Amino acid sequence: MTVPTPTPLRFSPYGRQVTYLTHACMELQLGGKKMIFDPWLTGPAFARGWWLLHEPPADSMERLCMADLIYISHMHSDHLSYPTLKSLSATRPDVPIYVGDTSRPVFWMLEKRQVKLTNINVVPFGIWQNIDEHLRFMILKDEVHPELDTCIIVEYKGHMILNTVDCTRPNYGRLPHNVDLMMSDFAGGASGFPMTFSGGKYTESWKADFIKNERKKLMNYKAQLVKSLQPKIYCPFAGYFVEAHPSDRYIKETNTKNKAEELNALIKKSAPGITTWTPKPGAVLDLALALMSPTITDPPSGTNIYKDSWDFDLYVDELNRAITAEIFKHKSWIQFYYIWAGFKNYNLVVRVIETDEDFIPIANGYNYLVDFMDLSFPTQRPTREHPYEEIKNRIGVMRHVVKNGLLWDDLYIGFQNRLSREPDVYHHRFWNHFQTELPVTGPDWDLFLQQVPSYQRSAEPQGIQTESVSASTFLEKADCTVS
């Protein structure tokens, strides 16, 4: 899709502002319309692994409820935030929300999440969507992850804003030059690799060197992309998250990220004609004035830039409620779940181990093997030659993922597991399936419980008396080891 170059008209003095709220969330006021990108304003992302670095302005939720339209780039939870949308739906369920027509629907979990939104619009790629006489937008797909990632071009009176979000190669490399404002991710660190890996080469020094080199490569790529497109103004965003939970201190210290200021300095050095903007919550870019001379309004005096509290217990307790779900009293859930997942005919054996917060195996937690060659569940590794992975998962997050049929991004991107493998080979088919291709309809656990033999259904594992048993009590007493 080749993007046309319009003839810009003069901005009117009304409605020309871009306000940074937090992470990838921007508010655009263009003419009489307000548009918001990727509102993640509250709660964690990727289960409990990511938390907002920047404190959103106090009126952010009010701004969201007043929006004329919302663009959500993709289904990752730092862009599609169900805690945020749940608050929105309580006040404004009919706000128009626009998403691209990706092969996996962006809102595939909407019903399961019990969020009532009544005006979700799935639009085709590469087609202008007219909002009014002067305002329109076009959603484009990513070449590397076309099933997942999208980006957007917004045009107002011939002036363009390009938001490439998390796209690796947005619109197959065909992007407009000389846009008025370009935004993109920049930070890196959105993966469990290599921080969550152990064994073999994965020493702390190897990890540090790898991370440093990868961040440098990303920084140079972003600087080169910006230089080649020559936007008038560039803003790095969609990278302001932190591994804030105390149990993830190791990840926070190891998973260093690029700094927006350093990327902007690199851009200024190679392309001095480009104005750069390092956003702070509540900061406002006046596009009309900025096109004549850089005009950025700082946040109001006294604004908190960085978050210092995140309501950890509220969200972690919600995840941990899955620990004592009825289905996990019956070890046959394992077979039921992986048959539902539908991945097989691949020579890989995986051991999955439930652990505590510190990734120490729970003596009475599940510890099982899955042979994906024939989708069997042996008690020991097969004698044939086979690749092997060991995955240790925090019990609360793993059971939450299983119970709700969620993608494994919550575990992998959310740093909620620890991995080792032999040989040290990335099994793309396996991880791509569990991260992007699981069935859209979740496991039918009601059917599963109906099928559990009556003798098994009536026999509760030792220590579990009712579903109200606390997670901590379960971790101490429940007997669910598969051997």
Side-chain angles (χ1 to χ4, degrees):
M1 170 67 196
T2 302
V3 180
T5 302
T7 301
L9 303 175
R10 293 189 62 186
F11 272 121
S12 70
Y14 173 70
R16 58 201 177 181
Q17 295 180 333
V18 178
T19 304
Y20 171 71
L21 301 181
T22 188
H23 191 58
C25 186
M26 288 278 191
E27 179 192 62
L28 280 60
Q29 181 170 331
L30 300 171
K33 301 293 184 181
K34 289 186 178 181
M35 182 177 190
I36 288 185
F37 295 155
D38 287 336
W40 173 27
L41 301 175
T42 188
F46 298 109
R48 41 173 285 191
W50 293 30
W51 304 82
L52 287 168
L53 176 67
H54 286 158
E55 182 73 58
D59 64 347
S60 291
M61 190 58 69
E62 180 181 348
R63 290 171 181 255
L64 183 62
C65 292
M66 294 297 291
D68 293 290
L69 64 155
I70 296 169
Y71 161 66
I72 294 180
S73 60
H74 62 291
M75 64 183 177
H76 279 166
S77 49
D78 59 320
H79 300 263
L80 172 60
S81 167
Y82 279 107
T84 301
L85 295 181
K86 186 175 183 179
S87 296
L88 170 66
S89 67
T91 303
R92 182 98 185 278
D94 61 343
V95 62
I97 299 176
Y98 291 87
V99 298
D101 189 14
T102 50
S103 58
R104 188 177 193 91
V106 173
F107 278 97
W108 70 283
M109 283 295 297
L110 183 65
E111 183 176 351
K112 173 74 75 172
R113 295 286 190 170
Q114 298 182 328
V115 174
K116 305 295 184 182
L117 295 170
T118 61
N119 197 355
I120 295 172
N121 303 273
V122 181
V123 302
F125 293 112
I127 304 296
W128 286 110
Q129 307 296 318
N130 295 304
I131 303 303
D132 61 24
E133 179 184 4
H134 296 300
L135 178 62
R136 61 181 184 169
F137 69 88
M138 179 190 296
I139 298 178
L140 304 168
K141 70 169 66 175
D142 183 40
E143 179 180 4
V144 177
H145 297 290
E147 79 288 347
L148 173 69
D149 284 326
T150 74
C151 61
I152 189 170
I153 299 170
V154 179
E155 181 192 338
Y156 174 66
K157 290 191 174 183
H159 295 270
M160 280 190 172
I161 295 172
L162 170 63
N163 175 8
T164 65
V165 203
D166 289 352
C167 289
T168 304
R169 186 170 166 78
N171 197 37
Y172 299 80
R174 300 186 294 272
L175 295 171
H177 291 62
N178 305 118
V179 299
D180 296 282
L181 173 62
M182 175 182 174
M183 295 175 266
S184 80
D185 66 338
F186 70 97
S191 169
F193 187 84
M195 295 81 62
T196 59
F197 284 69
S198 63
K201 69 184 180 185
Y202 296 106
T203 63
E204 295 307 310
S205 60
W206 187 93
K207 291 180 184 180
D209 289 342
F210 179 88
I211 292 168
K212 180 180 179 180
N213 290 334
E214 287 298 301
R215 300 298 178 267
K216 184 177 180 180
K217 285 194 292 186
L218 177 62
M219 180 97 72
N220 289 334
Y221 167 71
K222 293 296 180 181
Q224 183 57 42
L225 178 63
V226 173
K227 181 181 178 180
S228 68
L229 295 177
Q230 286 291 306
K232 296 179 178 67
I233 305 168
Y234 171 73
C235 174
F237 81 150
Y240 300 104
F241 71 93
V242 62
E243 303 87 345
H245 194 279
S247 65
D248 289 325
R249 180 179 177 182
Y250 168 77
I251 300 293
K252 180 180 178 181
E253 293 175 349
T254 308
N255 189 27
T256 56
K257 304 172 189 69
N258 289 330
K259 292 180 167 40
E261 296 86 352
E262 293 177 359
L263 174 57
N264 282 342
L266 184 60
I267 291 170
K268 292 297 291 184
K269 182 177 180 179
S270 62
I274 298 174
T275 297
T276 59
W277 176 26
T278 302
K280 297 178 181 178
V284 178
L285 172 70
D286 190 313
L287 273 174
L289 297 178
L291 294 176
M292 296 180 287
S293 62
T295 305
I296 299 170
T297 302
D298 287 333
S301 177
T303 297
N304 290 331
I305 303 301
Y306 298 102
K307 287 189 70 68
D308 56 14
S309 64
W310 291 270
D311 292 328
F312 294 135
D313 290 346
L314 173 66
Y315 297 101
V316 174
D317 288 348
E318 180 181 353
L319 294 170
N320 285 344
R321 278 198 286 271
I323 293 175
T324 54
E326 176 72 19
I327 59 174
F328 299 113
K329 297 178 182 179
H330 316 286
K331 67 181 181 181
S332 52
W333 75 263
I334 299 170
Q335 182 179 14
F336 189 89
Y337 173 75
Y338 287 97
I339 290 174
W340 164 82
F343 183 74
K344 58 183 178 179
N345 300 322
Y346 186 78
N347 187 24
L348 175 66
V349 176
V350 175
R351 179 175 289 280
V352 181
I353 303 170
E354 293 183 327
T355 77
D356 63 12
E357 289 286 281
D358 299 317
F359 299 101
I360 297 173
I362 299 170
N364 47 16
Y366 282 109
N367 180 335
Y368 57 89
L369 288 167
V370 185
D371 186 343
F372 288 101
M373 177 64 83
D374 58 0
L375 199 54
S376 62
F377 306 89
T379 57
Q380 53 188 323
R381 290 172 60 178
T383 56
R384 75 171 193 277
E385 185 175 341
H386 61 274
Y388 173 76
E389 291 205 16
E390 183 175 280
I391 306 175
K392 298 177 180 178
N393 297 310
R394 283 179 174 150
I395 185 173
V397 179
M398 183 61 186
R399 293 196 179 187
H400 176 78
V401 166
V402 167
K403 179 175 179 288
N404 294 287
L406 303 179
L407 299 172
W408 284 22
D409 280 341
D410 281 352
L411 294 161
Y412 187 70
I413 300 180
F415 318 114
Q416 298 304 300
N417 56 20
R418 296 294 184 267
L419 304 99
S420 60
R421 58 195 185 190
E422 53 183 67
D424 184 21
V425 175
Y426 176 63
H427 293 277
H428 171 77
R429 280 184 55 191
F430 169 76
W431 284 105
N432 187 63
H433 185 90
F434 281 91
Q435 288 185 276
T436 68
E437 295 181 357
L438 288 176
V440 172
T441 302
D444 189 343
W445 293 117
D446 290 336
L447 176 63
F448 166 74
L449 291 174
Q450 292 171 19
Q451 293 176 343
V452 173
S454 58
Y455 70 87
Q456 185 178 347
R457 186 166 56 243
S458 62
E460 293 180 342
Q462 181 182 2
I464 299 182
Q465 299 176 351
T466 69
E467 287 198 7
S468 64
V469 173
S470 69
S472 59
T473 300
F474 176 86
L475 296 181
E476 295 173 359
K477 295 184 178 180
D479 185 4
C480 300
T481 303
V482 177
S483 59

